[in-house]
């Protein structure tokens, strides 16, 4: 009997060990739901904190999804007054797919505890993550503590747009791919001037995106210490290279004084046509109709400390929420959105693909009015790694931007400004923790 018991115990140990091995091989998160009949009707509700219009959503995603999956009712809830995420959560409104840019992802999906580890569904559907631009996957794994709370569907980066007419007016050669910030500063000197009573600025930029997508990949807040990173000496390089040095010119000072703004509004580039070069996200020509402007674009300027490294990528992720009753249907839709078929159509429209597929990249913008522009320049540089994200980023960003105008005007020295930023962000984080 004892021998039989030992054999049984050994068998149990083997079985237990085998089961443990099986379960240890399972990815973190909830297991994938049992298979369902994907041909049956279902309503999938999409939401984003971006505030994008229904028309914009339908043009990029909604119409294609409805055509591909006629059995699904696709509803997009735009963030509006009375329809914020706070209000929807309070009303227990269903949200199946949350989509958001990487910069706002943590303060949306994770802040409201809607995250769901899609790893089992990714594996079940044989989604090959090596097909994606690596930084987009690495960033999501970092946000998801090793899991995958979402998959990237569209991408973006920074580019340098320029007005050919202003360069021609002053006889200055056009920008080229591969320029550094030092090159831009020198061009700016040649182009910032007044002609026939009209003031022109050589350079302007969306400083918000310059900071968010900085090539050094420095976050606003260190996720480990939860303190502002402004003490990192590379921030001084960031502030000086593309903001403070260009602003030293008399024409810049006059513009800042009269408007109480830095030249960071895209209207100065595409509408007023008084800015010769403008740094913005590469989809500017999709977001705005630039057909009345004699423009082109080149790769985003690099820091001499980081040769060949452009901005960070700025992907938009689609995530299945943990409250969704239609997880497998939602996964089927997302699987379509990351397919070569759909990514090719996005790329043709001028929306950067998340895939490394050269064929998909080669048709970037070819279906639109800008097909003859230097669109391939968006792939000229290597992507910088995406900086770590925290719940405090949106508020911390305000602190980082607060002293820009007095700094540019020379009314505040950089050491004082950085000390104020550090104190301001510390107070913000403390208040948010209360």
């Amino acid at each position: 009997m004892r021998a039989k018991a030992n054999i049984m115990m050994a068998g149990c140990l083997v079985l237990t060990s085998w089961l443990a091995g099986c379960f240890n091989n399972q990815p973190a998160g909830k297991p994938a739901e049992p298979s369902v009949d994907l041909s049956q009707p279902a309503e999938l509700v999409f939401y984003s904190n971006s505030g994008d219009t229904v028309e914009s959503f339908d043009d990029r995603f909604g119409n294609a999804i409805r055509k591909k999956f006629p059995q699904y009712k696709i509803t997009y809830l735009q963030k509006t007054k009375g329809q914020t995420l706070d209000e929807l959560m309070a009303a227990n409104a269903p949200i199946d797919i949350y989509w958001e840019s990487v910069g706002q992802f943590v303060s949306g999906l994770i802040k409201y505890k809607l995250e769901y580890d899609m790893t089992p569904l990714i594996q079940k559907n044989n989604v090959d993550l090596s097909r994606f631009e690596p930084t987009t996957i690495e960033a999501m794994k970092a946000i998801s503590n090793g899991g995958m709370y979402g998959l990237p569907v569209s991408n973006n980066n920074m580019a340098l747009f320029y007005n050919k007419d202003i360069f021609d007016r002053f006889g200055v050669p056009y920008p080229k791919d591969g320029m550094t910030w030092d090159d831009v500063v020198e061009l700016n000197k040649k182009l910032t001037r007044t002609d026939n009573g009209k003031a022109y600025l050589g350079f302007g930029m969306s400083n918000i995106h310059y900071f968010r997508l900085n090539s050094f990949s420095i976050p606003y807040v260190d996720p480990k210490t939860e303190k502002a990173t402004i003490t990192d000496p590379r921030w001084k390089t960031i502030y000086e290279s593309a903001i403070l040095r260009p602003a030293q010119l008399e024409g810049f000072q006059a513009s800042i004084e009269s408007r109480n703004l830095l030249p960071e509004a895209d209207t100065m580039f595409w509408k007023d046509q008084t800015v010769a070069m403008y740094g913005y996200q590469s989809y500017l020509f999709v977001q705005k109709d630039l057909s009345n402007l004699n423009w082109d674009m080149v790769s985003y300027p690099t820091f001499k400390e980081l040769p060949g490294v452009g901005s960070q990528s700025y992907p938009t992720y689609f995530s299945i929420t943990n409250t969704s009753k239609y997880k497998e249907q939602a996964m089927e839709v997302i699987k379509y959105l990351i397919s070569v078929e759909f990514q090719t159509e996005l790329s043709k429209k001028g929306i950067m693909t998340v895939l490394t597929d050269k064929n998909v990249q080669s048709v970037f913008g070819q279906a639109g009015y800008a097909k003859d522009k230097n669109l391939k320049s968006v792939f000229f540089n290597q992507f910088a790694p995406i900086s770590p994200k925290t719940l405090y980023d949106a508020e911390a960003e305000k602190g980082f931007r607060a002293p820009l105008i007095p700094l540019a005007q020379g009314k505040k020295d950089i050491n004082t400004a950085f000390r104020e930023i550090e104190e301001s962000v510390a107070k913000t984080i403390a208040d948010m923790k209360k």
Side-chain angles (χ1 to χ4, degrees), residues 179-238:
M179 292 196 310
T180 66
W181 284 113
D182 289 340
D183 296 329
V184 171
V185 169
E186 291 307 308
L187 280 177
N188 178 59
K189 292 177 182 177
K190 298 175 182 178
L191 294 160
T192 299
R193 58 174 79 180
T194 299
D195 185 63
N196 290 329
K198 189 172 183 178
Y200 293 92
L201 298 178
F203 175 69
M205 180 178 55
S206 170
N207 294 316
I208 286 178
H209 296 102
Y210 174 60
F211 280 172
R212 286 181 189 173
L213 308 186
N214 73 82
S215 301
F216 291 105
S217 305
I218 317 173
Y220 291 123
V221 177
D222 185 318
K224 294 181 180 178
T225 64
E226 296 190 334
K227 293 182 179 179
T229 60
I230 196 64
T231 54
D232 188 318
R234 293 174 296 177
W235 273 115
K236 187 174 182 181
T237 301
I238 292 170

Side-chain angles (χ1 to χ4, degrees), residues 139-335:
M140 182 49 65
K141 286 185 176 179
I143 290 171
S144 311
N145 298 313
M148 286 293 290
Y149 292 159
L151 282 168
V153 167
S154 64
N155 207 359
N156 213 333
N157 66 350
M158 294 291 282
L160 186 67
F161 296 83
Y162 64 95
N163 183 326
K164 288 184 173 182
D165 289 343
I166 298 178
F167 277 83
D168 293 343
R169 176 184 290 269
F170 300 125
V172 177
Y174 297 150
K176 298 178 179 180
D177 290 334
M179 292 196 310
T180 66
W181 284 113
D182 289 340
D183 296 329
V184 171
V185 169
E186 291 307 308
L187 280 177
N188 178 59
K189 292 177 182 177
K190 298 175 182 178
L191 294 160
T192 299
R193 58 174 79 180
T194 299
D195 185 63
N196 290 329
K198 189 172 183 178
Y200 293 92
L201 298 178
F203 175 69
M205 180 178 55
S206 170
N207 294 316
I208 286 178
H209 296 102
Y210 174 60
F211 280 172
R212 286 181 189 173
L213 308 186
N214 73 82
S215 301
F216 291 105
S217 305
I218 317 173
Y220 291 123
V221 177
D222 185 318
K224 294 181 180 178
T225 64
E226 296 190 334
K227 293 182 179 179
T229 60
I230 196 64
T231 54
D232 188 318
R234 293 174 296 177
W235 273 115
K236 187 174 182 181
T237 301
I238 292 170
Y239 275 78
E240 289 180 340
S241 296
I243 299 176
L244 303 187
R245 286 173 64 196
Q248 291 173 0
L249 301 179
E250 183 178 334
F252 262 76
Q253 292 298 315
S255 174
I256 296 169
E257 185 68 31
S258 64
R259 300 170 59 249
N260 195 35
L261 287 170
L262 293 169
E264 56 183 307
D266 58 13
T267 53
M268 294 183 70
F269 175 71
W270 66 270
K271 184 179 179 182
D272 302 336
Q273 300 188 24
T274 55
V275 169
M277 297 178 287
Y278 186 63
Y280 195 72
Q281 294 184 87
S282 55
Y283 78 136
L284 176 65
F285 70 94
V286 178
Q287 187 183 48
K288 303 291 183 184
D289 182 1
L290 304 181
S291 56
N292 66 332
L293 183 71
N294 186 17
W295 67 280
D296 211 330
M297 62 193 294
V298 294
S299 62
Y300 195 56
T302 60
F303 293 98
K304 59 180 181 290
E305 297 91 338
L306 293 171
V309 178
S311 73
Q312 301 172 40
S313 61
Y314 200 63
T316 291
Y317 295 97
F318 277 58
S319 305
I320 300 171
T321 67
N322 56 37
T323 58
S324 174
K325 296 179 180 178
Y326 301 108
K327 291 182 175 66
E328 291 213 14
Q329 292 91 336
M331 185 67 203
E332 195 71 5
V333 167
I334 293 175
K335 189 168 66 170

